[in-house]
Amino acid sequence: MVNVFERKQSIAILGGGPGGYEAALAGAQLGAEVTLVERVGVGGSAVLTDVVPSKTLIATAEAANAIGDASDLGVQIFARGDHGRPVRPEVAVNLHAVNQRLLRLARQQSEDMKSQLTRAGVRIVQGEGRLDGPNRIIVSTGTTDFDQVDADTLVISVGASPRILDSAIPDGERILTWTQLYTLESIPEHLIVVGSGVTGAEFASAYRALGAEVTLISSRDQVLPGEDEDAARVIEDVFTRNGMNVMNKSRASSIVRDGDKVVATLTDGRVVEGSHCLMAVGSIPNTAGIGLEEAGVQLADSGHIRVNRVARTNLPSIYAAGDCSGFLPLASVASMQGRTAVYHAMGDAVNPTDLRNVTSNIFTQPEIATVGWTQRQIENGEVRGEIHKLPLVQNPRAKMMGIKDGFVKLFASSGSGAVIGGVIVAPKASELILPITIAIEHRLTVDDVAQAFAVYPSLSGSITDAARALHQVP
Ligand SMILES: Cc1cc2nc3c(=O)[nH]c(=O)nc-3n(C[C@H](O)[C@H](O)[C@H](O)COP(=O)(O)OP(=O)(O)OC[C@H]3O[C@@H](n4cnc5c(N)ncnc54)[C@H](O)[C@@H]3O)c2cc1C
């Protein structure tokens, strides 16, 4: 019997990126009254400035690379020059058109997501929000207008913004954060990228493929610090082979604009001059000044909101999802946390978020996909595991496709043979890693994986081959 006096549970969400969006959909699905407060656009930074634009740019970079690589497979592109002689045409990239396309895609994606929320019955309030205690969000909807949203549960999903260094203040024209790159009208003559983490490496890789001279300034021994070392080595080799100037163990002490140039001064006194500079030195959570501390929410020293594995803060009515929490800064993790928060708040079944099983990908060329325990953790003795690595040059399909770089690496638990991790460095590694993720999630052994038929010839055949090589003799 329906209880007509039963009040609907109410959820207010601050921030409409993947964390907030998924929380809103989950709440609507479970029958809550949901309000989502967003100051820029539904989809958040993920859709408007980060994931969607960067991966669309990278798709263009891949197309440019494919034209260059086609000649290895015997495809020749030429035009007839004087006296009918073949002339090798140059690949030209119209960055204005590329940027218009990716911004249009991002806007469209944001609109689609907004319609999806509206159809699901979510109320969207456009404006800048801040907490007023543990059950209220105050929204500034205009210069003098305010809205007040009261709810049983608050989900904070305000994301993060590019870190700005005092010694390298972006001007939006020559010194840029990744959110400002899409106003460029033409390929930079010489792009200096400061920071060789995932964002720096992805943009350095893409702009080099698009024809820019690129200098990558990295403070560590190797690009992509913290990632699988073999994978980082492959990427660094490819970068240098493609003509990128990779400066390891180099720290920029200042970046200044000088007319049409940017000048990067390193701590050891060396100077690098370029036409543009991309600052990719990390992000800071958007948690300052939105009433979190006043409401009693615990923050880490970094400003991230402390949450447990069901995304709950120290206050029972407040959850936090995505980049503003201390979890992995990935859109997929933000979405999972958003859903988990709402399921938990509404008493639905929840699986606490397990970061061990998160699959992540670096969209360089080739890509690096990773999941599960790492080789470093196995070698440090944190987990007992066996490692097998198969270079792709041994794979028949890779040979046919002219793939020269990359590998499949699989980790199996010593004793049980359960698959516990893997790394794939390959074109479209993001599409190849899923069988390893499924094996980890469902505790399959290397023998289970080896038993599955892989297509012959296929890149994924290297996964079953690596699994076979890890068979443990009883
Ligand atoms: C260049 C780049 C590329 C990336 N590529 C990938 C990728 O390929 N795959 C992947 O999984 N991840 C990727 N990421 C990471 C991904 O973008 C983030 O993990 C994801 O955006 C986090 O989602 P979120 O919901 O926490 O925050 P966001 O997407 O940042 O959304 C937060 C939202 O909150 C709003 N907001 C903030 N404060 C307020 C306020 N006070 N009032 C109202 N609204 C507010 C903001 O306007 C924003 O819309 C990339 C990141 C970068 C920088």
Side-chain angles (χ1 to χ4, degrees):
M1 198 170 68
V2 178
N3 179 357
V4 290
F5 298 108
E6 200 172 278
R7 191 177 65 82
K8 266 189 165 187
Q9 215 171 315
S10 54
I11 299 176
I13 299 162
L14 187 57
Y21 172 78
E22 288 292 334
L25 282 184
Q29 187 188 23
L30 295 184
E33 197 171 84
V34 184
T35 306
L36 182 131
V37 178
E38 168 55 53
R39 62 184 177 191
V40 182
V42 174
S45 310
V47 168
L48 296 168
T49 57
D50 298 356
V51 188
V52 171
S54 69
K55 263 78 258 183
T56 312
L57 180 85
I58 287 166
T60 299
E62 283 170 356
N65 252 359
I67 295 174
D69 292 346
S71 62
D72 291 350
L73 308 190
V75 178
Q76 290 170 356
I77 304 168
F78 70 94
R80 250 176 246 290
D82 291 345
H83 313 298
R85 288 223 186 94
V87 183
R88 217 185 154 81
E90 279 180 30
V91 174
V93 173
N94 178 344
L95 193 65
H96 173 77
V98 171
N99 283 340
Q100 291 301 308
R101 172 174 180 263
L102 61 84
L103 291 173
R104 198 171 55 244
L105 267 175
R107 270 195 306 273
Q108 186 62 54
Q109 173 73 5
S110 170
E111 283 305 315
D112 288 351
M113 292 170 77
K114 188 174 172 188
S115 310
Q116 180 87 14
L117 289 180
T118 312
R119 272 199 302 276
V122 175
R123 176 177 165 241
I124 301 173
V125 179
Q126 170 93 32
E128 181 91 29
R130 69 184 313 279
L131 270 68
D132 183 17
N135 295 95
R136 176 174 296 161
I137 294 175
I138 303 282
V139 193
S140 162
T141 52
T143 36
T144 52
D145 296 336
F146 289 91
D147 202 335
Q148 175 181 314
V149 186
D150 292 309
D152 302 313
T153 302
L154 305 184
V155 180
I156 313 302
S157 190
V158 287
S161 303
R163 181 186 301 281
I164 306 292
L165 305 180
D166 290 342
S167 54
I169 304 285
D171 64 358
E173 287 180 5
R174 296 274 163 179
I175 305 174
L176 306 151
T177 67
W178 60 81
T179 65
Q180 298 168 327
L181 275 176
Y182 307 108
T183 56
L184 289 177
E185 289 287 317
S186 55
I187 302 290
E189 227 170 89
H190 180 178
L191 179 68
I192 300 171
V193 178
V194 178
S196 70
V198 176
T199 300
E202 286 187 351
F203 280 115
S205 172
Y207 272 96
R208 183 69 200 123
L210 294 172
E213 183 182 343
V214 174
T215 297
L216 179 59
I217 299 181
S218 162
S219 59
R220 308 290 185 82
D221 297 356
Q222 205 175 25
V223 299
L224 294 169
E227 300 296 333
D228 181 86
E229 278 182 28
D230 291 334
R233 196 169 308 118
V234 169
I235 294 303
E236 192 166 319
D237 285 350
V238 173
F239 280 1
T240 44
R241 202 169 67 220
N242 289 346
M244 192 188 298
N245 179 21
V246 180
M247 301 179 75
N248 284 336
K249 294 190 197 159
S250 302
R251 197 174 278 277
S253 62
S254 77
I255 311 288
V256 288
R257 180 170 176 176
D258 179 11
D260 284 349
K261 286 188 309 192
V262 285
V263 181
T265 306
L266 308 187
T267 45
D268 60 11
R270 282 177 297 163
V271 170
V272 184
E273 281 187 5
S275 61
H276 295 77
C277 177
L278 167 65
M279 296 301 296
V281 290
S283 303
I284 49 163
N286 298 325
T287 51
I290 56 167
L292 287 164
E293 292 98 327
E294 293 84 338
V297 176
Q298 279 178 3
L299 303 181
D301 291 344
S302 59
H304 291 95
I305 302 171
R306 285 188 200 279
V307 290
N308 63 14
R309 287 175 58 209
V310 293
R312 184 137 80 160
T313 68
N314 58 309
L315 301 185
S317 64
I318 303 185
Y319 291 74
D323 286 9
C324 65
S325 77
F327 274 44
L328 275 182
L330 286 174
S332 50
V333 175
S335 304
M336 187 67 85
Q337 278 184 295
R339 285 189 293 267
T340 304
V342 167
Y343 294 156
H344 188 262
M346 296 193 65
D348 205 80
V350 278
N351 285 329
T353 308
D354 185 357
L355 292 181
R356 176 72 45 221
N357 297 355
V358 174
T359 312
S360 61
N361 193 65
I362 304 173
F363 290 81
T364 42
Q365 295 182 55
E367 296 179 1
I368 303 175
T370 48
V371 61
W373 291 93
T374 64
Q375 179 160 351
R376 194 168 302 130
Q377 288 170 316
I378 294 173
E379 287 170 352
N380 289 344
E382 284 176 57
V383 60
R384 275 178 8 95
E386 312 297 323
I387 300 166
H388 193 79
K389 179 178 153 198
L390 275 181
L392 279 186
V393 282
Q394 295 171 9
N395 177 298
R397 185 84 190 278
K399 287 179 197 161
M400 296 165 200
M401 295 166 73
I403 295 171
K404 303 180 204 81
D405 306 288
F407 59 80
V408 168
K409 193 151 66 170
L410 205 58
F411 311 135
S413 175
S414 309
S416 75
V419 178
I420 56 169
V423 181
I424 298 183
V425 180
K428 301 274 185 286
S430 49
E431 308 290 349
L432 291 170
I433 192 85
L434 189 64
I436 305 182
T437 310
I438 292 175
I440 297 173
E441 186 68 38
H442 296 286
R443 300 176 200 282
L444 302 185
T445 65
V446 283
D447 293 342
D448 293 328
V449 174
Q451 189 68 26
F453 279 101
V455 168
Y456 180 84
S458 68
L459 298 186
S460 51
S462 288
I463 299 174
T464 44
D465 285 349
R468 208 161 288 121
L470 283 166
H471 171 69
Q472 297 176 16
V473 181

